[in-house]
Amino acid sequence: MKYYFKLFLLSAGIGIINTILYLFLLQFQIVHNSSYIPEEAFIVFLILVAIIPQSVLLFFVAFLSKKNQLAITITSVLLIAGCFFLLWDTSDKERQTFNNQQVYNSTEKYDYKQGISTPEGYPIKLLPDSKFTLAVIGNDTPYTLLETNKVYSMNWGNGETTFKSSDGPDIVLPDSLKLYWYSFLENKYYGLNTKLNKSLISKHFKTGYKRDIGGNADRIISDDYSKLIAGIAPGGDVVLWISGVNNTKELQVFKADSINITKIKDHDVVKQDEIKKVLTDTCTCKDDTQFRKIVNNGQPIPFGTWTNKYRKKYNWKAEINSLGQTKSKLNIISFNGEEYELFNEEVVKMKHQKQVVPDYLIYTLIKNKKRYKLFLKFDENEIFSYFEKLASHNSNELIDIVVNISSDLKQTTIQLRSKDKTLDFEKMKDVYIRAD
């Protein structure tokens, strides 16, 4: 009887060894809670319960072998080895999950949303499998997939982003971008699968930008970018921006390939009734979530405008006369979707630099403790033709956008000036000052 008690203790020892091996394979880190009892605790319980059938097996081997020690040893080793290989096989997913989580925890992450932008009036439908691809995904990676099977038609540079909870965890940077879409005005399908410049994206997320949170150019803080936006234009042109409040920077430009409709899955092909509905939609209602006023239907599509014309740079700065303002801010919004702000001395001492042509300027000034805003919106054809005239012989020609505001804030003149020539803007879309 004493001999068989020793065999029972041996079986208990085997159970303890198997438990230690199981915990080792889990690397002591992974705990999956199911109700009040972790899943791991249940498996340990099963290993310990197995002590009883293991004891019965050892009793049986001892009986058949007439208590041969070698047979008992071989059986014990086989019980440990069998359990180890079973645990190794069943914990493979757990170990992979743990390793992935370790990589995820050590990977650079930021709080941002993902979005899609198109030129207004050139709607596209984003097809399934379009996404910013994340090479590293953790257990708590938030749901941030691009919304597909949806029609997009936004102002160029202003992306319609997916929802992400403000208190949700940060997201790793994407490694690549996959986009598939149907262009309504072109009646074409496009596809793009490209690597992204992660180091460039990371650089902007790390450095952030400056913005005014008070509105009076007196509470300037360092802020973080919060969006990655993919812009989709006719001809398969794609632009990637990084964006925050009042600040958008172009990062990369891509060219997608057209896809023959025969390569599109049947359930992804855009139906004729939807095409007709979109192309005849002239809604300008601000509460229409599918705002897509068709502004160019039936007219030649200006291919390349968004990635060639709008991205051409000239060596210019803005020059605004002094009115005794104590504080000032200049918001520059460009045709290519970029936007940035200058504050106080930065406005006064703005230097010439190679930059794209502005769509409109918003100048905020504080005078006599009152805040005034000047809105200047240029006519596209006029401002591009003026820049071309002044820089036709020298791409590095120094050019000033000269803004003169009358002392009573009732009149404003705008000119484009080079060393040898001055052109008056005569087709401005908006020129007005208001007191806030």
Side-chain angles (χ1 to χ4, degrees):
M1 193 69 182
K2 185 177 180 180
Y3 176 78
Y4 287 101
F5 180 69
K6 289 181 178 179
L7 289 181
F8 175 78
L9 292 179
L10 175 61
S11 179
I14 292 172
I16 293 173
I17 292 173
N18 287 336
T19 301
I20 294 173
L21 289 174
Y22 174 65
L23 295 176
F24 172 75
L25 291 175
L26 289 181
Q27 300 187 55
F28 309 100
Q29 298 284 340
I30 302 172
V31 175
H32 293 286
N33 291 313
S34 177
S35 185
Y36 296 103
I37 303 175
E39 182 181 314
E40 285 74 14
F42 179 68
I43 296 176
V44 171
F45 172 75
L46 291 178
I47 293 174
L48 296 178
V49 168
I51 292 174
I52 296 175
Q54 286 173 173
S55 299
V56 174
L57 180 61
L58 288 174
F59 294 164
F60 185 68
V61 171
F63 174 76
L64 291 179
S65 66
K66 298 180 180 181
K67 300 182 180 180
N68 182 282
Q69 188 61 40
L70 180 60
I72 298 297
T73 301
I74 292 174
T75 302
S76 300
V77 171
L78 289 176
L79 286 172
I80 294 173
C83 184
F84 175 81
F85 286 113
L86 179 62
L87 292 173
W88 178 270
D89 182 63
T90 57
S91 67
D92 180 67
K93 182 179 178 180
E94 298 289 341
R95 288 181 286 106
Q96 185 62 46
T97 299
F98 172 75
N99 291 334
N100 289 343
Q101 189 65 33
Q102 292 295 94
V103 174
Y104 177 79
N105 291 341
S106 61
T107 301
E108 186 178 2
K109 294 180 284 293
Y110 298 94
D111 183 12
Y112 69 94
K113 299 177 183 179
Q114 304 167 355
I116 294 293
S117 173
T118 64
E120 181 185 340
Y122 296 91
I124 61 98
K125 183 172 184 179
L126 197 64
L127 303 180
D129 204 30
S130 296
K131 60 185 176 180
F132 285 90
T133 303
L134 308 181
V136 181
I137 299 177
N139 290 332
D140 56 351
T141 298
Y143 183 84
T144 57
L145 296 179
L146 293 171
E147 188 174 353
T148 57
N149 284 324
K150 176 178 178 178
V151 175
Y152 289 85
S153 184
M154 301 291 291
N155 291 332
W156 191 240
N158 294 327
E160 188 171 349
T161 57
T162 52
F163 172 80
K164 178 183 178 295
S165 174
S166 59
D167 58 357
D170 293 346
I171 312 171
V172 299
L173 299 182
D175 294 80
S176 60
L177 177 61
K178 293 174 65 177
L179 296 174
Y180 303 96
W181 72 91
Y182 171 75
S183 174
F184 286 90
L185 268 72
E186 299 175 79
N187 190 26
K188 275 188 177 183
Y189 293 87
Y190 288 96
L192 174 72
N193 188 353
T194 183
K195 293 289 185 182
L196 297 178
N197 188 337
K198 285 184 68 175
S199 61
L200 181 61
I201 299 173
S202 172
K203 175 184 175 183
H204 281 82
F205 271 121
K206 285 178 180 176
T207 56
Y209 64 98
K210 294 188 300 181
R211 78 177 180 96
D212 174 32
I213 60 173
N216 295 326
D218 57 354
R219 295 176 61 192
I220 301 168
I221 65 168
S222 294
D223 205 357
D224 300 321
Y225 288 103
S226 57
K227 300 175 185 176
L228 282 178
I229 300 170
I232 299 175
D237 291 341
V238 176
V239 175
L240 177 67
W241 296 283
I242 188 169
S243 181
V245 178
N246 297 332
N247 194 296
T248 299
K249 296 291 184 185
E250 178 189 288
L251 297 182
Q252 291 181 268
V253 178
F254 310 100
K255 189 74 172 181
D257 297 317
S258 61
I259 303 176
N260 192 292
I261 192 172
T262 59
K263 304 293 184 180
I264 304 297
K265 296 177 182 177
D266 290 342
H267 57 271
D268 291 336
V269 173
V270 183
K271 302 298 186 290
Q272 286 300 317
D273 57 345
E274 182 178 8
I275 294 174
K276 181 179 179 180
K277 179 180 178 181
V278 171
L279 292 179
T280 57
D281 186 357
T282 57
C283 178
T284 58
C285 310
K286 292 184 179 179
D287 58 351
D288 185 352
T289 57
Q290 295 272 326
F291 175 56
R292 51 178 180 258
K293 180 181 177 184
I294 304 300
V295 296
N296 215 54
N297 196 10
Q299 301 297 317
I301 297 174
F303 294 108
T305 294
W306 298 272
T307 54
N308 293 312
K309 176 184 176 182
Y310 287 171
R311 298 180 63 243
K312 187 172 182 179
K313 295 183 178 181
Y314 298 89
N315 199 6
W316 69 271
K317 70 177 179 67
E319 183 180 297
I320 305 174
N321 65 300
S322 175
L323 294 167
Q325 55 266 45
T326 54
K327 297 283 184 180
S328 64
K329 176 174 64 175
L330 180 62
N331 187 226
I332 301 172
I333 301 93
S334 303
F335 284 95
N336 75 331
E338 289 188 302
E339 177 181 2
Y340 69 97
E341 291 179 310
L342 298 174
F343 307 98
N344 303 315
E345 287 297 310
E346 294 176 336
V347 179
V348 177
K349 298 180 179 179
M350 185 178 180
K351 296 180 179 179
H352 291 93
Q353 60 177 320
K354 278 293 188 76
Q355 52 187 332
V356 294
V357 174
D359 182 4
Y360 59 99
L361 307 176
I362 302 175
Y363 181 60
T364 303
L365 63 103
I366 310 299
K367 184 179 180 181
N368 299 326
K369 297 183 179 181
K370 289 185 178 181
R371 180 172 64 185
Y372 300 89
K373 280 191 175 182
L374 167 66
F375 294 84
L376 302 175
K377 183 166 180 61
F378 297 95
D379 176 81
E380 180 178 336
N381 292 330
E382 183 178 55
I383 192 170
F384 274 98
S385 67
Y386 279 11
F387 268 101
E388 279 296 303
K389 286 179 181 179
L390 298 189
S392 59
H393 301 296
N394 180 10
S395 60
N396 293 314
E397 182 75 36
L398 301 182
I399 298 174
D400 295 329
I401 297 178
V402 181
V403 180
N404 281 303
I405 309 170
S406 64
S407 58
D408 59 4
L409 304 179
K410 292 184 177 180
Q411 289 187 324
T412 304
T413 60
I414 306 98
Q415 299 173 316
L416 197 67
R417 183 178 67 196
S418 67
K419 181 178 64 175
D420 302 319
K421 187 179 294 185
T422 298
L423 301 173
D424 294 317
F425 284 102
E426 299 174 349
K427 299 179 181 180
M428 299 289 296
K429 291 189 174 182
D430 277 318
V431 180
Y432 65 92
I433 297 177
R434 76 177 187 203
D436 282 0

